[in-house]
Amino acid sequence: MSNTPMAANPLTRAVLEIDEYASGLGWDQPARLFALVDTAQLRAQEPGLAAQLGLRDEPETTGLTPIEQEEIPAGKPLDEFLGTIAWPDAVAGCALTVERLMLPPSAEASVPEGLSGQKLTQWVAQHPDRQEIRMTVAVLRDGSRDSALRLREKDSPTEVLTGGALVPGLAEALSATFED
């Protein structure tokens, strides 16, 4: 992806590449799951697939290539879906991009007592300080993690926040897909 800024490590580059891809699809999209494979291994073991993905002439010998997986079933809770995933050994990691609503910490005090589940979701959706956010979280088998967060109101590549500890719960759920 030509607009992806150069990042310090392959995992961060993969997260930013997925964020850029998701950004190109626009907002109000379903969650998307990606396998992360070692680019050099992919070229060596699957030259046809590498050519289809435009990787044959890439000068870079290290890195991760995101490969989008089948659509996540609508209506199935994300945590339940992730609990059904098992990756083959050729997959070095995985990533997920998902949109959510969030509130600033200052709004926590105003959450009505006893709200949970659907009622809490509706309350957040109607709150005047809500923010729409796209989270892209990636993990590797070795435990490495990275994330990219993009607010809808600041939808620009220069406004993407990155870091390994931004979405710890989702990173843990993705890491669990590699456990035996």
Side-chain angles (χ1 to χ4, degrees):
M1 301 230 164
S2 59
N3 294 329
T4 303
M6 284 307 294
N9 68 63
L11 186 57
T12 303
R13 286 194 299 273
V15 164
L16 290 172
E17 183 177 327
I18 294 167
D19 173 75
E20 180 184 351
Y21 168 75
S23 177
L25 298 172
W27 286 87
D28 304 316
Q29 296 291 315
R32 296 177 187 279
L33 181 67
F34 299 82
L36 299 176
V37 296
D38 179 273
T39 304
Q41 252 184 353
L42 178 64
R43 269 197 226 116
Q45 295 174 358
E46 298 286 342
L49 179 57
Q52 276 185 299
L53 296 172
L55 301 173
R56 186 184 316 198
D57 300 323
E58 288 283 318
E60 189 174 323
T61 57
T62 63
L64 296 166
T65 298
I67 301 175
E68 188 170 3
Q69 302 301 291
E70 290 184 26
E71 201 170 290
I72 295 174
K76 187 165 192 170
L78 195 54
D79 57 340
E80 286 180 25
F81 172 73
L82 291 176
T84 66
I85 295 173
W87 297 103
D89 291 340
V91 174
C94 65
L96 181 80
T97 184
V98 62
E99 296 175 15
R100 291 291 184 256
L101 292 176
M102 69 173 214
L103 294 175
S106 60
E108 277 186 39
S110 64
V111 176
E113 285 195 37
L115 280 188
S116 62
Q118 187 64 26
K119 289 186 180 196
L120 179 59
T121 300
Q122 289 172 343
W123 184 83
V124 170
Q126 295 170 354
H127 196 283
D129 294 332
R130 73 185 177 283
Q131 297 270 338
E132 290 180 73
I133 188 168
R134 181 182 302 116
M135 303 176 283
T136 302
V137 180
V139 299
L140 296 179
R141 284 184 187 272
D142 69 8
S144 302
R145 302 171 173 193
D146 213 334
S147 306
L149 303 180
R150 184 187 290 245
L151 292 172
R152 189 171 192 159
E153 74 176 24
K154 295 183 179 184
D155 193 359
S156 162
T158 60
E159 296 287 339
V160 175
L161 179 65
T162 59
L166 296 176
V167 192
L170 188 50
E172 285 295 324
L174 289 173
S175 291
T177 65
F178 290 103
E179 294 173 3
D180 293 330

